[in-house]
Amino acid sequence: MPRRFSCSDLIALTGTGAWPVVIDVRREQAYRESGRRIAGSIKRDAGDAAARLPALGASRRVVVYCAHGHNVSEIAAAALAVAGVEVAVLEGGFDAYVRAGGVTVANDVDGVDVSGRVSVWVTRERPKIDRIACPWLIRRFVDPQAVFHFVAAEWVGDVASEIGAIPYDVADVPYSHRGERCTFDTMIAAFGLADAALDHLARIVRGADTAMVDLEPEAAGLLALSLGLSATEPDDLVQLEKGMIIYDALYGWCRHAAGETDNWPARMA
């Protein structure tokens, strides 16, 4: 019998690098009828859950869920365990996760199929804010295996057409600025993400990215960090990996620590 993973424990890992490989193994009808899945999950058939897994590090866990955490999850977990994967079943399945307030994402996202090949995205080189914040959002909430390319601005369209990538944060594409809202805002709406912490983070990103740093006190700090990282890291993909840590921390602050205040001077007991 595979061990259990509680909804509260999984929710606590939302938007972090500690997020396990989460596999939606609901029957196709249940998956389609709901129209949503756990944010950051991938889709596999229960009997085929061990196939086409993303790369698993030595300490990477796998959590499977079906509609209610019953037999379908057990079928998938058994197949994964036989394949040598450390796997757990999400207690109560998708329904319990939703009741517990977990973040969900729309199943149908233009260009993204988490039951098939990984999504590929392309944007302008030398990213600053939006072009790092958006990959963080995609990997943490939409497609954890997403691949990103940074190219010269004039070649974004050609590269997108040639390799079937999704262009973002350039003019005249679906995932871009809309009025005063930046691409990060556009993606949150397009992916159907409803989360108070993400909304708070979006205001910080928008303030930093659109020269409205008075929008949130933290926007000026994000702008400084982003410009400094871009100025000191010449490799755009390395910059992305470093930027993931910044956005993990900012999202964590929005979720858990926004009300925390300084405790100096510290007093001895």
Side-chain angles (χ1 to χ4, degrees):
M1 176 73 69
R3 67 183 182 85
R4 299 289 177 175
F5 206 88
S6 73
C7 289
S8 60
D9 285 344
L10 187 58
I11 289 170
L13 300 176
T14 301
T16 74
W19 182 257
V21 176
V22 181
I23 306 178
D24 186 324
V25 295
R26 286 176 293 172
R27 303 290 192 196
E28 191 64 24
Q29 182 176 351
Y31 179 78
R32 291 298 171 194
E33 286 179 353
S34 75
R36 304 189 67 79
R37 56 188 165 84
I38 291 176
S41 66
I42 60 176
K43 180 73 177 79
R44 297 289 186 270
D45 292 334
D48 193 34
R52 297 178 295 114
L53 277 181
L56 299 175
S59 60
R60 195 94 185 268
R61 293 170 294 185
V62 173
V63 177
V64 297
Y65 71 92
C66 58
H68 309 293
H70 295 161
N71 60 316
V72 180
S73 290
E74 298 289 357
I75 291 168
L80 286 161
V82 167
V85 176
E86 181 185 355
V87 59
V89 169
L90 183 65
E91 292 179 332
F94 180 75
D95 290 353
Y97 187 83
V98 171
R99 290 195 302 271
V103 183
T104 63
V105 64
N107 287 340
D108 295 322
V109 175
D110 187 23
V112 178
D113 177 9
V114 292
S115 64
R117 74 181 186 94
V118 300
S119 62
V120 181
W121 303 74
V122 62
T123 190
R124 296 169 289 136
E125 63 188 349
R126 304 312 300 142
K128 302 296 188 297
I129 299 161
D130 236 357
R131 284 167 285 159
I132 297 294
C134 291
W136 173 84
L137 182 74
I138 293 163
R139 281 186 177 169
R140 294 291 185 253
F141 293 90
V142 182
D143 180 3
Q145 302 178 80
V147 172
F148 296 90
H149 297 287
F150 300 95
V151 303
E154 62 267 30
W155 302 119
V156 170
D158 288 343
V159 171
S161 298
E162 184 71 23
I163 68 173
I166 306 168
Y168 73 97
D169 202 48
V170 293
D172 303 320
V173 300
Y175 297 116
S176 194
H177 286 231
R178 298 287 180 268
E180 291 189 345
R181 300 296 179 104
C182 62
T183 307
F184 192 79
D185 293 297
T186 299
M187 286 187 173
I188 287 175
F191 303 154
L193 291 163
D195 175 53
L198 265 182
D199 290 342
H200 189 175
L201 178 56
R203 292 193 299 273
I204 298 171
V205 172
R206 189 186 321 143
D209 193 62
T210 61
M212 296 190 296
V213 292
D214 291 338
L215 194 60
E216 288 287 336
E218 297 72 31
L222 175 59
L223 176 59
L225 286 170
S226 302
L227 295 180
L229 180 57
S230 183
T232 57
E233 177 49 68
D235 187 315
D236 291 351
L237 293 176
V238 174
Q239 183 187 343
L240 172 58
E241 296 310 315
K242 291 179 177 179
M244 294 289 289
I245 299 171
I246 291 175
Y247 285 97
D248 282 350
L250 268 176
Y251 180 71
W253 176 81
C254 290
R255 287 189 74 198
H256 305 295
E260 190 172 322
T261 58
D262 180 56
N263 62 356
W264 185 262
R267 291 178 174 81
M268 296 180 63

